[in-house]
Amino acid sequence: FDMFVLAFAERLFRPTFRKDDFVLGKKLGEGAFGVVCKASLANPEAAEKVKANGVMQGDVVVKKATEYGAVEIWMNERVRRACASSCADFLYGFRESKSKGKGAEEYWLIWRFEGEDTLYDLMQSKEFPYNVETKILGDVQDLPKGIARENKIIQTVMRQLLFALDGLHSTGIVHRDIKPQNVIFSEGSRTFKIIDLGAAADLRVGINYIPKEFLLDPRYAAPEQYIMSTQTPSAPSVPVATTLSPVLWQLNLPDRFDIYSLGLIFLQMAFPSLRTDSNLIQFNRQLKRCDYDLEAWRNLVEPRANAELRRGFDIMDLDDGIGWELLTSMVRYKARQRISAKAALAHPYFNREGLLGLSVMQ
Ligand code: ADP
Ligand code: MG
């Protein structure tokens, strides 16, 4: 059976939405390509339709996007069918004629409201990572605070994010904008999920499109930056379809772009001092000067490390440095030398028995 026929049928029989179904509330984000708001359902019929889409109650998130929203709808539909648990629950996407401005079209995307906090919000708190432990377990552990306990929590977050990323990559999707702001904590499933497929590429089916290179966040981008750029014209007006065989995927390893970004998140979780924007930018400069060799960076900064930096190295050095080993296999200059999401999940960093029982949470 043709997958496109199935996808079309599945979408056809799902209840559809219109913009009148939603009452827009608090603004959650705004970028060059659209605005994101929390929204409630305008009437009981809309609430029924949401239920039919698998969301039992509560608010939704609405993204009003420019023409690039069409690609983002495609990506979300694909995730919904292939690896739903990796990302925020997507309900529906549709096109609307804009209220102001003649002829302009905008795309509306609707998700379940997963929760208030992104990983970025949680990392800004002095309580991190203990504020995450409470969220994941619903309770605090009766164990002394310290690096071993913090390491367990970071391990759990990393496992969840690698699991989500492996889902996307196995589906043939590269996210390209992995950063703490694009990771949401789902209060329902008590796990971290990936959001914002606005820069994603579906290479297996052939949708490979970067609206503008500056979409890539330079703070988290791997050095190669423009993955598959030879096949992507700089600014086309419609999405460009290219075909990439699994063989080419193997050759170019575009998924390793996301792995680098996730490696930087790992680093920020372990090193409190690298959680601010300015310090992350400074770190990137230092790493570049070290030719993207983390070991060289360590040799550069460790001798004059302050207490906070020291603490980061101490966390990474636990269990014979198995965390540091995983980190250095993610943050590498050459994409092909970076570990894949699937291989990272099997890394010995995750094999140790979880002291807090955290290891039973996927
Ligand atoms: P953009 O970065 O293009 O503005 P995002 O999709 O990243 O759009 O959404 C912007 C912000 O909205 C996120 O950083 C997050 O705070 C919030 N958000 C997005 N999707 C959800 C969701 N499903 N549940 C809760 N909050 C969300
Ligand atoms: Mg975003």
Side-chain angles (χ1 to χ4, degrees):
F1 222 163
D2 192 312
M3 66 170 286
F4 290 101
V5 175
L6 286 174
F8 179 70
E10 195 261 352
R11 191 174 154 92
L12 193 66
F13 294 115
R14 244 194 294 148
T16 58
F17 292 93
R18 309 177 281 125
K19 73 196 222 188
D20 299 340
D21 289 334
F22 308 100
V23 180
L24 298 189
K26 188 181 152 203
K27 193 189 282 183
L28 301 172
E30 185 163 21
F33 303 99
V35 54
V36 180
C37 296
K38 195 171 175 177
S40 53
L41 300 161
N43 50 59
E45 290 74 40
E48 276 307 312
K49 286 195 280 184
V50 167
K51 272 190 198 161
N53 270 278
V55 175
M56 280 319 162
Q57 58 185 25
D59 293 326
V60 295
V61 169
V62 173
K63 186 184 257 187
K64 290 194 273 179
T66 62
E67 66 266 32
Y68 302 124
V71 179
E72 198 174 342
I73 291 173
W74 161 271
M75 297 297 166
N76 276 277
E77 288 285 347
R78 189 141 162 66
V79 165
R80 188 187 149 103
R81 292 192 303 276
C83 54
S85 65
S86 289
C87 297
D89 287 351
F90 182 65
L91 301 186
Y92 207 73
F94 53 93
R95 193 171 63 180
E96 272 290 334
S97 5
K98 233 177 182 173
S99 30
K100 301 177 284 198
K102 287 202 188 80
E105 302 274 16
E106 62 186 15
Y107 289 85
W108 285 49
L109 292 89
I110 317 293
W111 294 269
R112 177 207 297 269
F113 179 79
E114 297 278 1
E116 294 286 344
D117 300 313
T118 64
L119 180 57
Y120 178 82
D121 301 323
L122 293 163
M123 279 194 340
Q124 294 310 299
S125 161
K126 274 201 168 18
E127 283 302 302
F128 186 87
Y130 297 105
N131 55 348
V132 167
E133 180 182 45
T134 327
K135 283 187 159 293
I136 290 174
L137 298 176
D139 206 357
V140 285
Q141 292 300 298
D142 194 19
L143 276 172
K145 289 190 174 179
I147 54 170
R149 184 162 148 197
E150 287 165 30
N151 184 44
K152 288 288 162 209
I153 304 164
I154 293 169
Q155 219 173 62
T156 304
V157 179
M158 281 303 290
R159 191 190 291 112
Q160 291 182 353
L161 292 178
L162 281 166
F163 182 81
L165 214 48
D166 179 38
L168 286 180
H169 293 169
S170 302
T171 304
I173 295 174
V174 190
H175 186 281
R176 298 199 287 202
D177 198 15
I178 295 291
K179 56 183 174 182
Q181 293 86 340
N182 284 339
V183 172
I184 190 90
F185 186 77
S186 168
E187 301 285 347
S189 63
R190 289 207 163 151
T191 56
F192 285 97
K193 294 180 172 183
I194 293 168
I195 56 172
D196 199 352
L197 296 166
D202 186 333
L203 298 162
R204 210 157 282 187
V205 180
I207 295 201
N208 175 24
Y209 177 52
I210 309 176
K212 292 262 189 300
E213 266 80 5
F214 64 75
L215 246 184
L216 300 175
D217 192 316
R219 293 167 301 179
Y220 293 89
E224 70 268 22
Q225 302 234 356
Y226 313 119
I227 55 162
M228 315 304 297
S229 59
T230 50
Q231 314 195 3
T232 310
S234 54
S237 57
V238 288
V240 175
T242 59
T243 355
L244 191 71
S245 69
V247 176
L248 267 176
W249 177 285
Q250 284 301 317
L251 278 176
N252 290 285
L253 301 171
D255 58 313
R256 301 313 188 332
F257 187 84
D258 291 341
I259 290 294
Y260 184 96
S261 308
L262 184 54
L264 292 194
I265 297 181
F266 190 14
L267 188 82
Q268 286 188 297
M269 289 198 288
F271 293 81
S273 55
L274 297 182
R275 286 177 206 153
T276 66
D277 246 19
S278 51
N279 285 357
L280 179 62
I281 290 166
Q282 189 197 16
F283 164 83
N284 283 331
R285 251 187 263 123
Q286 289 172 341
L287 190 64
K288 191 175 178 183
R289 257 188 268 122
C290 295
D291 294 323
Y292 296 93
D293 179 346
L294 257 187
E295 217 66 66
W297 172 77
R298 182 170 184 160
N299 293 336
L300 177 75
V301 300
E302 200 172 18
R304 47 190 172 88
N306 59 19
E308 266 196 324
L309 207 56
R310 184 64 259 157
R311 201 179 160 78
F313 286 120
D314 288 345
I315 288 182
M316 290 314 214
D317 286 346
L318 288 169
D319 297 322
D320 304 320
I322 203 71
W324 178 254
E325 208 289 320
L326 175 60
L327 177 70
T328 53
S329 59
M330 296 178 80
V331 181
R332 281 191 183 147
Y333 181 73
K334 285 203 166 121
R336 64 182 52 263
Q337 288 175 356
R338 291 175 213 145
I339 195 167
S340 70
K342 207 181 287 304
L345 282 169
H347 190 277
Y349 176 62
F350 298 109
N351 291 350
R352 314 271 164 157
E353 204 57 52
L355 288 173
L356 303 172
L358 284 166
S359 62
V360 296
M361 326 266 319
Q362 45 116 312

